[in-house]
Amino acid sequence: MYILLGILAYLAATSIIAYRAFARDKQLAEANRGIPRDKSHAAQRVSRIPEAKLLFFAIIGGWPGAKYAQRTLRHKSYKQPFVKQLNDIGLLHGAVLGTSAVVIAVLLLGAPAPDAPVTAKAAAPEQQHAPAPPHLSLRPPAARPATL
């Protein structure tokens, strides 16, 4: 139980970090928009957060926060390589989550506990399935040798 709560707290924290990184990058992008693009004003420009860092925040577990920020802040929503990479990270997270759920379900539900009482279903396996029909051959029967 504590492990599950720890995982949820980690995912919430990384989602908040990713959302704040997207919001800060959007703020820096809007701040740089009003500055003229000549050499005299180049020193005033503030460097933005690199896309690789934004994707890193998404891949370490902050994908929900990153996707929420992308939609609500409308930040990097038209840049197709970035959008595809962010969606691929979401698919990867979904695949890992689905695989983990299947593995946990198999481990928890697959084998009965060693101290579990034997049920009637497990006690009579011959009653569960109908016997298989005898194998019929299309070959004619072989001649039997005469006995003395």
Side-chain angles (χ1 to χ4, degrees):
M1 182 69 173
Y2 290 117
I3 293 173
L4 182 62
L5 289 175
I7 291 171
L8 290 175
Y10 171 78
L11 292 176
T14 54
S15 290
I16 291 170
I17 290 170
Y19 182 87
R20 293 187 72 181
F22 269 72
R24 178 70 178 150
D25 190 48
K26 175 77 171 188
Q27 182 183 23
L28 293 173
E30 289 175 352
N32 287 339
R33 189 176 299 157
I35 297 175
R37 299 193 185 250
D38 60 347
K39 291 182 181 179
S40 64
H41 292 94
Q44 295 177 359
R45 291 185 66 97
V46 180
S47 62
R48 293 178 53 191
I49 299 173
E51 288 182 359
K53 196 172 211 178
L54 294 174
L55 289 172
F56 173 74
F57 289 139
I59 205 163
I60 63 170
W63 181 81
K67 197 63 179 174
Y68 182 70
Q70 185 186 30
R71 289 191 182 258
T72 59
L73 302 173
R74 299 191 52 81
H75 185 53
K76 295 200 179 284
S77 56
Y78 292 108
K79 196 166 187 179
Q80 273 312 310
F82 185 84
V83 171
K84 183 182 180 324
Q85 291 167 346
L86 191 62
N87 289 339
D88 288 346
I89 290 171
L91 289 174
L92 176 69
H93 283 194
V96 168
L97 182 65
T99 303
S100 300
V102 167
V103 167
I104 289 171
V106 166
L107 290 176
L108 293 178
L109 303 175
D115 297 335
V118 177
T119 61
K121 193 183 258 188
E126 64 275 358
Q127 294 175 358
Q128 290 180 358
H129 303 290
H135 179 69
L136 299 175
S137 175
L138 299 177
R139 255 191 206 171
R144 296 186 180 218
T147 56
L148 296 172

